[in-house]
């Protein structure tokens, strides 16, 4: 790999950092994040397709 | 099973080869390739049927869940309502039982009317329209042959699409950039048309026919687009702009949304009005005949066309770029720009884009402006992140302690989400009735410990089998009410683990509390601590367990009572334990440790959810067997640190648990990992430290990659195809192949090193295994790379594995015969 700007760039994941969120508040204050995590890791959830690199001359 | 060719997922059908406008910047008519002159004007019904059949058979053979087809031209509306209806219906019929068809048309809009829109609505055809901005900007190029403006006609068409009846068909607007136009006026004009999405296209150009540039503006196109980007960002991004969204998305590990950026392999095929397969039609700007393949729908399958060198050349990722691009700091995002824009007659396409300076400036600007946002999760909360260098480190097969610790931190968030979801789902499941009556107290205690000593709860939730339990519970709860009383009782027993987790956390933190814990197979379990095995459990199903702030613990079952004292309570970094009074009526079986210099991990043989592997869990180990495990682990760890030191820091940071499996059948070593059990490796006690070292390294690869996959998309999860794995007889899904390949990078590495550390005849055996595994691993890497279903990040990850293995292929090995090896092999 070449050293590049791309490589030193941080790569945020789809997993929100819930460590500072008290367990008692996860459901109420982080519902969106919770749903996103469950969607991501629970087996059998509907997988969303990775977007395609679309044909340039259409939209 | 398939050959490693990249399947096509996008098809452009040129349904009409002429146009009712005479735009002077049109690449179809104004470029080097003039093949349109010899094509039929309109695609016949027969040609369309062949095209639909070819696409259908391709989708079926490659098991494509999603296919996109764009009806294109020329001007496709010139084909008329009836022909377009036939073509769209043929496509829907060919793909109806095979794939989800995303059917689109891209038009200049001037002929669009209700008849077209009603037909598009009936066949679910999304409509995109070309317009270059405000009237002045649009009419700079987009005119009729007699010079008349097309602006009013196009705006009328967009108005029709914006009406309630057709709004759902409105795909967006395409604008070709002309730097002589005012960028903000263009932007405002487009946004005023309320499109769902916009894209700005760089006018097609090559090094032979460079784009117009005002003197003294080496990056005029970047400057023009940056003006729009800044305004768009300040406006709160009121509409998706594909070019900008792609750059921002790629900075977050997503793929590009346009073939004009990124390094994803091309999966596009054009079918001309005469049925000829052509490559991306932007190649028309390069030279006469540039897009041609010589294949057509009547005589050739799409798989045959996929083998055309011009097609495969656009599927090589970074490896297919010129030296200048490969060394560029923004190559992952830029990808060399649109393939056609790299053309120079002397060197073909092995050049940077003619827009290189613009792309560099634009990408750096957009990424710089968007950088603070990427760490935000769905609700603006910070997201876990890895530096690209750390991900590269993992992809090479290794990963240091800091990186693996970061993977573990993301797991902590996952666990908080899962446990909270179990609490919520159990609370919502009123149909559980009395089965759930003890859960609120357990939840309340867990919340209290979490509030007072969150690191202790983090430590208990980090126990590998808590996730196994939580996943199982959620899946059962999501299925809804359980009618069968026995199944309801079984679910209640599962949910009772919440009380066990809560009490374990309370004991470890020195928090006072009371919960009711189910008696499982005559035992009371306290995850991470151990289990109390009752000699005469009787008929009571629930034990009342009390913890005191003074470290006292009481287990009460009916009239029987057992007392214990907690040690090391409240010190999450140290193993906590319980010492029970000896009453002769129960045995306390603590979770024991395996220790080596600088490392102490749990030997987990008590947890009720540990039996989650392909092979059965070993029952509680005897003292001598624990001693044997401890000695072998110490010797194996010494070997790992001495000979395979690159793996040791990551393992030390992430390996928390070994779970003994029942002894192996026959002569095969048995080891496993569970996708939901981060930090744990399961194995039967191997015959030697060397084998244990190999198994631990192998399995910990799965642990690392599983955690990476929890955070990032490396492949298209909707791809359900099966792929041949050289080490298995049964074909594997993509994740299985990826996991196996990643593990075998390390297996190969172990044998590569070991052959130099052992004497004959073991050295020959090690060399044979090295040769065997490097060939298999290299082959699997190419299968993954050619799957066409890796995300850009996944492609980069697989390339990282390739770069590790590639030099090993050149290492000389003795002339060894085919090994017939199976498993990872004993030394």
């Amino acid at each position: 790999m070449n050293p590049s700007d791309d490589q030193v760039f941080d790569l945020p994941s789809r997993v929100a950092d819930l460590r500072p969120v008290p367990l008692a508040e996860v459901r109420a204050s982080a519902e969106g994040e919770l749903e996103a995590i469950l969607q991501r890791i629970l087996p059998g959830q509907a997988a969303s397709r990775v977007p395609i690199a679309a044909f340039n001359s259409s939209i | 099973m398939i050959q490693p060719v990249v399947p096509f997922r996008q098809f452009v059908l040129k349904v009409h080869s002429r146009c009712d406008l005479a735009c002077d910047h049109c690449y179809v008519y104004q470029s080097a390739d003039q093949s349109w002159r010899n094509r039929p004007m309109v695609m016949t019904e027969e040609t369309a049927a062949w095209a639909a059949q070819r696409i259908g058979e391709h989708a079926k053979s490659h098991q494509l869940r999603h296919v996109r087809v764009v009806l294109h031209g020329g001007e496709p509306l010139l084909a008329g309502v009836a022909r377009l209806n036939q073509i769209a219906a043929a496509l829907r019929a060919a793909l109806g039982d095979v794939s989800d068809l995303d059917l689109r048309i891209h038009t200049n809009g001037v002929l669009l009317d209700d008849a077209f829109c009603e037909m598009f609505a009936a066949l679910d055809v999304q409509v995109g329209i070309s317009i270059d901005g405000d009237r002045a900007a649009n009419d700079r190029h987009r005119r009729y042959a007699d010079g008349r403006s097309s602006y009013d006609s196009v705006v009328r068409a967009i108005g029709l699409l914006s009406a309630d009846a057709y709004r759902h068909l409105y795909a967006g607007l395409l604008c070709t950039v002309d730097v002589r136009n005012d960028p903000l006026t263009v932007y405002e004009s487009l946004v005023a048309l309320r499109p769902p999405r916009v894209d700005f296209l760089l006018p097609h150009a090559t090094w032979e026919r460079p784009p117009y540039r005002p003197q003294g503006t080496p990056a005029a196109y970047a400057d023009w687009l940056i003006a729009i980007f800044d305004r768009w960002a300040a406006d709160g991004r009121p509409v998706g702009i594909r070019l900008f969204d792609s750059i921002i998305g790629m900075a977050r590990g997503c793929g590009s949304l346009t073939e004009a950026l990124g390094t994803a392999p091309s999966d596009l095929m054009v079918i001309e009005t005469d049925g000829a397969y052509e490559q991306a039609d932007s190649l028309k700007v390069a030279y006469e005949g540039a897009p041609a393949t010589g294949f057509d729908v009547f005589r050739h399958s799409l798989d045959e066309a996929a083998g055309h060198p011009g097609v495969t050349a656009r599927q090589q990722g970074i490896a297919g770029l010129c030296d200048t691009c490969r060394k560029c700091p923004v190559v992952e995002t830029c990808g060399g720009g649109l393939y056609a824009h790299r053309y120079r007659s002397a060197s073909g396409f092995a050049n940077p884009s003619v827009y290189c300076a613009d792309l560099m400036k634009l990408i750096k600007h957009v990424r710089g402006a968007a950088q603070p946002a990427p760490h935000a999760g769905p609700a603006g909360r910070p997201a876990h992140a890895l530096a690209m260098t750390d991900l590269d480190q993992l992809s090479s097969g290794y990963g240091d302690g800091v990186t693996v610790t970061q993977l573990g931190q993301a797991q902590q968030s996952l666990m908080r989400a899962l446990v909270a979801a179990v609490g919520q789902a159990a609370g919502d499941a009123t149909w559980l009735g009395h089965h759930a009556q003890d859960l609120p107290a357990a939840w309340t205690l867990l919340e209290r410990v979490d509030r007072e000593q969150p690191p202790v709860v983090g430590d208990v939730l980090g126990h590998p089998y808590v996730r196994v339990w939580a996943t199982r519970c959620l899946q059962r709860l999501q299925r809804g009410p359980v009618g069968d009383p026995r199944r309801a009782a079984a679910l209640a027993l599962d949910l009772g683990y919440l009380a066990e987790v809560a009490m374990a956390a309370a004991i470890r933190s020195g928090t006072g509390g009371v919960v009711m814990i189910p008696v499982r197979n005559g035992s009371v379990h306290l995850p991470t601590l151990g289990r109390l095995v009752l000699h005469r459990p009787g008929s009571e199903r629930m034990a009342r367990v009390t913890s005191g702030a003074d470290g006292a613990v009481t287990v009460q079952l009916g009239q029987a009572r057992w007392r214990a004292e907690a040690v090391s309570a409240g010190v999450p970094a140290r193993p906590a334990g319980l010492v029970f009074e000896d009453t002769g009526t129960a045995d306390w079986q603590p979770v024991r440790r395996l220790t080596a210099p600088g490392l102490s991990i749990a030997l987990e043989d008590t947890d009720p959810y540990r039996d989650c592997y392909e092979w059965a869990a070993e029952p509680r180990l005897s003292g001598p067997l624990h001693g044997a495990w401890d000695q072998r682990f110490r010797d194996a760890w010494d070997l790992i640190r001495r000979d395979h030191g690159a793996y040791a820091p990551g393992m030390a940071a992430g390996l928390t648990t070994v779970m003994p499996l029942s002894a192996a059948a026959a002569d095969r070593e048995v080891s496993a990992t569970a996708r939901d059990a981060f930090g744990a490796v399961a194995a039967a006690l191997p015959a030697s430290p060397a084998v244990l070292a190999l198994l631990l390294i192998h399995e910990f690869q799965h642990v690392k990659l599983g955690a990476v996959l929890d955070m990032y998309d490396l492949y298209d999860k909707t791809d359900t195809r099966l792929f041949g794995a050289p080490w298995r007889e049964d074909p594997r899904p993509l994740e299985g192949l990826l996991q196996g390949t990643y593990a075998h990078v390390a297996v190969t590495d172990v044998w590569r090193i070991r052959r130099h550390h052992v004497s004959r005849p073991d050295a020959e055996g090690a060399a044979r295994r090295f040769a065997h595994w490097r060939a298999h691993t290299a082959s699997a890497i190419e299968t993954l790379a050619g799957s066409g279903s890796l995300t850009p990040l996944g492609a980069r990850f697989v390339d990282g594995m390739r770069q590790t293995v590639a030099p090993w292929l050149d290492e000389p090995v003795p002339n060894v015969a085919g090994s017939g090896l199976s498993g990872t092999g004993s030394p």
Side-chain angles (χ1 to χ4, degrees):
Chain A
M1 292 267 172
N2 303 305
S4 72
D5 288 359
D6 282 6
Q7 286 183 303
V8 297
F9 208 77
D10 262 8
L11 200 63
S13 74
R14 312 298 173 82
V15 179
D17 188 353
L18 300 181
R19 290 174 300 161
V21 184
L23 264 180
E25 296 172 21
V26 168
R27 287 175 286 176
S29 74
E31 188 178 357
E33 286 96 336
L34 188 147
E35 289 303 321
I37 286 173
L38 297 184
Q39 180 74 27
R40 185 158 189 83
I41 65 172
L42 278 184
Q45 303 295 300
S48 55
R49 193 188 185 285
V50 175
I52 58 171
F55 175 50
N56 190 54
S57 299
S58 76
I59 194 161
Chain B
M1 214 177 301
I2 64 153
Q3 296 301 311
V5 296
V6 177
F8 298 113
R9 290 188 171 84
Q10 299 184 74
F11 303 90
V12 176
L13 258 59
K14 298 287 189 175
V15 296
H16 203 285
S17 63
R18 305 296 194 268
C19 190
D20 42 4
L21 293 183
C23 312
D24 60 10
H25 62 355
C26 180
Y27 68 95
V28 174
Y29 307 108
Q30 307 296 333
S31 297
D33 181 84
Q34 291 288 304
S35 57
W36 64 274
R37 294 180 185 279
N38 301 317
R39 308 253 188 226
M41 282 204 296
V42 63
M43 179 177 275
T44 65
E45 197 172 349
E46 182 193 3
T47 304
W50 273 101
Q53 182 180 322
R54 292 300 187 189
I55 294 170
E57 72 189 19
H58 188 73
K60 190 170 186 179
S61 70
H62 292 278
Q63 299 175 45
L64 303 181
R65 294 268 300 273
H66 304 272
V67 168
R68 175 179 288 187
V69 178
V70 180
L71 307 179
H72 209 263
E75 170 45 47
L77 296 187
L78 286 173
V81 173
R83 181 56 49 84
L84 289 177
N85 186 70
Q86 289 166 350
I87 293 171
L91 288 164
R92 291 250 172 249
L95 286 155
D97 298 331
V98 179
S99 307
D100 293 334
L101 173 60
D102 176 358
L103 186 54
R104 291 163 186 257
I105 189 166
H106 195 83
T107 169
N108 62 33
V110 298
L111 290 179
L112 192 72
D113 60 14
D114 281 306
F116 278 115
C117 287
E118 283 168 18
M119 186 268 287
F120 293 150
L123 287 163
D124 191 15
V125 182
Q126 299 285 301
V127 184
I129 291 188
S130 291
I131 182 170
D132 288 350
D134 56 293
R135 180 184 295 276
N138 187 71
D139 289 348
R140 185 182 294 278
H141 300 289
R142 306 188 64 81
R143 291 178 175 272
Y144 289 93
D146 60 6
R148 283 181 295 131
S149 164
S150 67
Y151 183 75
D152 289 335
S153 301
V154 180
V155 169
R156 180 203 52 77
I158 294 169
L160 184 61
L161 272 183
S162 301
D164 289 346
Y166 307 127
R167 175 80 192 171
H168 63 291
L169 304 175
Y170 188 5
L173 303 176
L174 274 191
C175 170
T176 300
V177 174
D178 190 309
V179 293
R180 288 164 289 206
N181 296 329
D182 178 65
L184 296 186
T185 305
V186 167
Y187 165 78
E188 289 165 358
S189 303
L190 295 175
V191 171
L193 295 169
R194 299 194 301 125
R197 175 176 281 183
V198 169
D199 199 15
F200 293 101
L201 307 183
L202 295 170
H204 288 318
T206 67
W207 290 103
E208 300 301 320
R209 297 177 66 181
Y212 164 79
R213 288 185 188 279
Q215 204 162 15
T217 56
Y221 291 86
D223 297 338
W224 196 91
L225 288 164
I226 285 169
I228 291 180
F229 172 81
D230 288 346
R231 171 65 182 277
W232 175 70
D235 286 352
R237 304 179 187 176
V239 59
I241 295 183
R242 189 166 66 182
L243 182 65
F244 302 153
D245 286 334
S246 292
I247 297 171
I248 293 168
M250 282 190 280
R252 300 177 187 181
C254 303
S256 173
L257 303 172
T258 166
E259 61 169 337
L261 292 173
T263 56
S266 170
D267 61 359
L268 170 73
M269 180 55 76
V270 177
I271 300 175
E272 279 288 355
T273 52
D274 60 358
Y277 292 128
E278 296 229 322
Q279 305 168 59
D281 64 351
S282 52
L283 289 171
K284 290 177 184 297
V285 299
Y287 54 89
E288 177 71 38
T293 66
F295 298 105
D296 62 67
V297 294
F298 310 107
R299 298 174 299 158
H300 305 104
S301 71
L302 280 155
D303 273 6
E304 289 173 277
H308 187 275
V311 175
T312 56
R314 290 182 293 117
Q315 297 172 337
Q316 304 305 311
I318 290 176
L321 300 176
C322 67
D323 285 347
T324 305
C325 287
R326 287 202 297 267
K327 293 173 184 167
C328 175
V330 300
V331 63
E332 301 275 355
T333 305
C334 171
L338 197 69
Y339 193 77
H341 296 176
R342 305 173 203 165
Y343 181 71
R344 191 191 291 273
S345 60
S347 46
F349 297 94
N351 311 293
S353 168
V354 72
Y355 289 106
C356 178
D358 300 285
L359 292 169
M360 170 84 85
K361 187 173 183 178
L362 176 67
I363 289 167
K364 287 191 166 185
H365 181 87
V366 171
R367 284 201 326 200
Q371 201 161 5
H375 292 265
R381 200 180 301 282
H384 290 278
L386 292 177
M388 193 61 101
T389 45
D390 292 340
L391 196 71
D392 287 343
Q393 200 187 109
L394 286 165
S395 74
S396 69
Y398 307 107
D400 62 20
V402 172
T403 304
V404 174
T405 297
Q406 288 178 303
L407 295 178
Q409 289 168 346
Q411 292 293 313
Q412 290 176 24
S413 289
L414 297 178
M415 286 314 307
R416 294 182 83 73
L418 278 171
V419 171
V422 171
Q424 180 171 20
D428 292 346
T430 53
W431 45 269
L432 278 168
H434 70 279
H435 290 300
Q437 65 188 11
D438 297 317
L439 291 179
W443 180 253
T444 300
L445 178 60
L446 188 61
E447 282 183 343
R448 184 150 61 88
V449 181
D450 183 60
R451 207 163 44 241
E452 295 170 1
Q453 294 217 40
V456 175
V457 170
D459 207 34
V460 175
L461 298 190
H463 176 52
Y465 302 107
V466 176
R467 177 166 166 184
V468 174
W469 158 76
T471 301
R472 177 168 157 171
C473 285
L474 281 174
Q475 287 184 294
R476 288 191 176 180
L477 287 165
Q478 285 176 348
R479 286 202 290 266
V482 176
D484 181 348
R486 282 176 304 179
R487 287 178 55 207
L491 176 55
L493 184 64
D494 278 337
L495 291 169
Y497 192 74
L498 183 68
E500 299 168 31
V501 166
M503 181 48 68
I507 292 170
R508 295 179 59 154
S509 63
T511 304
V514 183
V515 291
M516 299 302 290
I517 288 182
V519 178
R520 302 170 187 270
N521 298 320
S523 298
V524 174
H525 291 262
L526 294 168
T528 72
L529 293 170
R531 68 182 177 190
L532 185 67
V533 181
L534 312 175
H535 293 175
R536 292 190 183 84
S539 59
E540 295 284 343
R541 290 184 177 176
M542 303 296 286
R544 177 185 169 88
V545 183
T546 307
S547 64
D550 59 355
V553 176
T554 304
V555 177
Q556 187 172 351
L557 188 67
Q559 299 303 311
R561 183 183 297 246
W562 297 269
R563 296 176 192 280
E565 291 293 326
V567 293
S568 301
V571 187
R574 291 173 54 193
L578 284 175
V579 178
F580 272 83
E581 291 175 356
D582 185 5
T583 63
T585 57
D587 289 328
W588 172 245
Q589 296 181 342
V591 173
R592 292 166 291 188
R593 313 289 296 178
L594 301 177
T595 56
L599 185 62
S600 169
I601 65 172
L603 181 73
E604 179 54 80
D605 58 359
T606 66
D607 192 279
Y609 292 93
R610 74 187 190 284
D611 199 1
C612 59
Y613 300 93
E614 187 177 350
W615 291 279
E618 186 82 327
R620 173 74 170 179
L621 300 187
S622 66
L625 204 46
H626 167 242
W629 260 105
D630 196 36
Q631 183 62 50
R632 203 142 303 159
F633 177 75
R634 194 160 31 248
D635 294 342
W637 183 247
D638 183 54
L639 200 59
I640 290 169
R641 288 205 309 174
R642 190 190 71 202
D643 294 346
H644 311 290
Y647 298 95
M651 294 175 73
L655 179 64
T656 62
T657 304
V658 163
M659 205 290 286
L661 293 171
S662 286
D667 59 348
R668 205 175 150 203
E669 304 88 20
V670 171
S671 64
T673 33
R675 183 69 167 75
D676 286 334
F678 176 79
V681 167
L685 181 62
S688 71
V691 175
L692 181 56
L694 175 62
L695 297 183
L696 290 173
I697 290 172
H698 172 149
E699 299 299 344
F700 196 70
Q701 295 293 95
H702 293 307
V703 170
K704 287 186 294 187
L705 182 54
V708 169
L709 292 169
D710 282 340
M711 297 175 72
Y712 301 107
D713 291 324
L714 299 188
Y715 63 94
D716 183 350
K717 289 182 181 173
T718 66
D719 186 339
T720 55
R721 290 175 296 163
L722 299 176
F723 297 81
W727 46 84
R728 289 180 68 124
E729 291 181 1
D730 55 329
R732 306 290 293 148
L734 205 50
E735 179 173 344
L737 183 63
L738 183 61
Q739 284 276 11
T741 308
Y742 190 61
H744 282 101
V745 170
V747 168
T748 307
D749 197 16
V750 167
W751 290 116
R752 182 181 71 89
I753 293 166
R754 189 165 292 173
R755 72 194 183 107
H756 298 302
H757 285 73
V758 292
S759 51
R760 297 179 65 189
D762 289 345
E764 288 175 2
R768 193 164 56 243
R769 289 190 162 84
F770 167 59
H772 174 86
W773 287 115
R774 71 176 178 181
H776 278 3
T777 307
S779 165
I781 286 170
E782 296 314 316
T783 301
L784 287 166
S787 69
S789 283
L790 299 178
T791 64
L793 204 60
R796 182 176 177 131
F797 197 91
V798 169
D799 192 53
M801 289 194 275
R802 180 194 278 132
Q803 292 197 37
T804 295
V805 173
W808 299 346
L809 298 174
D810 297 328
E811 289 189 20
V813 291
N815 188 17
V816 288
S819 63
L821 301 172
S822 63
T824 50
S826 345

